Amino acid sequence: MSTDRRTVLRTAARLAALTATGGLLAACGSDGHRRADHEALAAHPGSGDPSHTTDPAWNGAEGPASAAPTASPQPAEETPAAAAPATAPPAPPVLTPLAPGTPVEVVSGPRTSRFVALTFHGSGDPKLATALLTAAEQRGVQLTVMVVGSWLDQQPQMARRILDGGHELGNHTQNHLNISAMTPDQARAEIAQCADRLMRLTGSIGRWFRPSAAQYATPTVRDQARAVGYEHVLSFDVDPRDYSDPSAAELQRRVLTSVRGGSVVALHMGHQCTIDALPGILDGLGKAGLQPVTASKLCA
């Protein structure tokens, strides 16, 4: 073969090889590379391309899936926290047993007794109430306090203060309205609401119920008190009207000229005149041979 022909054949062979190589490069060009990358990212979301979204809704396509998104991961189940210990209810006060035959409504104790009961409407300025309790305690005297429920709502600490001083607590309705004019349901609600406060604060509804705005309980009121849990109504036979704020000397005179053995005296907290008169009242009772006690002890 001549030199020129061999040169032509070698050139043709080289051109054919270059053409084949160019086709292979075209088949592995940039478009094909991007398709391969997306297939890899679909299998391993979030890897490779740092601009790729890691949103859990991503399904490997070019954007967020139009189908239902992948459910968000559920939080690990938490161990239930230990329940806070319930506050222990207060220990109820110990009540003195009453004598057999104690009437449903107590107006006075036995007239042959040398005991008298000083009972107090529980409401008013807590500072005055505390001063009155302290004055009685300094003389070793125990009182019976018939509290108003709305007062306990405002001054809940007074319930324990009264009991801790050795005194006795009773129910004088929730709002101190004219209970005699109420329907049975209204009367029962007034008694029950105050009883609820006493139970929550002291562990007991107390022994005694006293009607509000009345000296004596009507049959309807007695029935409603019994339905709430009160077997006895505490009335009184001596009313010196200290709520009218007489002088201390006048208040002493009113009490000491009316009281006798077995008397139940109705007084009020929240009045300075009552605090001022108390020492003289106690002195006068002592001179008469009378000893102030709780209503329960009077009827024991």
Side-chain angles (χ1 to χ4, degrees):
M1 184 180 292
S2 67
T3 302
D4 290 339
R5 182 171 177 75
R6 285 196 297 271
T7 300
V8 170
L9 290 176
R10 284 197 295 269
T11 300
R14 187 177 297 114
L15 288 172
L18 289 172
T19 300
T21 303
L24 178 61
L25 290 173
C28 296
S30 59
D31 288 343
H33 180 68
R34 284 196 294 271
R35 282 196 298 271
D37 282 349
H38 281 308
E39 289 171 0
L41 289 173
H44 303 286
S47 62
D49 185 355
S51 66
H52 192 285
T53 180
T54 56
D55 192 318
W58 183 263
N59 69 351
E62 290 289 342
S66 58
T70 303
S72 301
Q74 296 299 314
E77 184 176 352
E78 297 181 358
T79 302
T87 303
V94 177
L95 299 177
T96 302
L98 302 184
T102 298
V104 171
E105 183 159 48
V106 173
V107 179
S108 67
R111 289 303 183 186
T112 56
S113 172
R114 304 313 295 170
F115 291 157
V116 297
L118 300 181
T119 68
F120 287 80
H121 168 118
S123 68
D125 186 339
K127 293 181 180 179
L128 294 178
T130 300
L132 179 68
L133 295 170
T134 301
E137 292 157 10
Q138 289 172 346
R139 298 288 293 267
V141 172
Q142 295 177 327
L143 312 175
T144 296
V145 182
M146 309 301 296
V147 290
V148 177
S150 58
W151 186 58
L152 289 182
D153 288 341
Q154 298 171 354
Q155 309 295 336
Q157 78 283 357
M158 290 305 301
R160 287 309 322 176
R161 171 63 185 86
I162 292 165
L163 290 181
D164 290 346
H167 310 288
E168 185 173 36
L169 270 175
N171 181 326
H172 198 31
T173 75
Q174 176 64 19
N175 297 295
H176 201 260
L177 304 174
N178 182 3
I179 196 168
S180 302
M182 294 181 183
T183 66
D185 287 346
Q186 290 171 335
R188 182 170 181 173
E190 276 290 301
I191 301 167
Q193 288 172 27
C194 184
D196 175 71
R197 272 66 173 175
L198 287 168
M199 175 61 76
R200 177 161 39 85
L201 293 171
T202 73
S204 169
I205 67 171
R207 164 172 285 150
W208 303 104
F209 165 73
R210 174 173 285 174
S212 51
Q215 181 174 0
Y216 306 109
T218 66
T220 296
V221 170
R222 285 199 299 269
D223 289 345
Q224 298 311 311
R226 186 180 300 110
V228 174
Y230 294 98
E231 296 296 327
H232 298 280
V233 174
L234 183 62
S235 183
F236 49 89
D237 66 307
V238 178
D239 181 10
R241 303 183 307 283
D242 60 337
Y243 50 82
S244 64
D245 293 316
S247 67
E250 173 60 18
L251 182 54
Q252 291 171 25
R253 187 194 66 79
R254 292 178 185 179
V255 172
L256 296 174
T257 57
S258 302
V259 72
R260 55 197 177 110
S263 282
V264 178
V265 184
L267 293 162
H268 293 72
M269 291 181 159
H271 292 265
Q272 186 63 50
C273 68
T274 308
I275 301 171
D276 295 340
L278 185 61
I281 291 172
L282 296 179
D283 289 342
L285 292 176
K287 292 176 182 178
L290 299 174
Q291 179 183 349
V293 296
T294 64
S296 288
K297 189 168 183 179
L298 179 69
C299 297

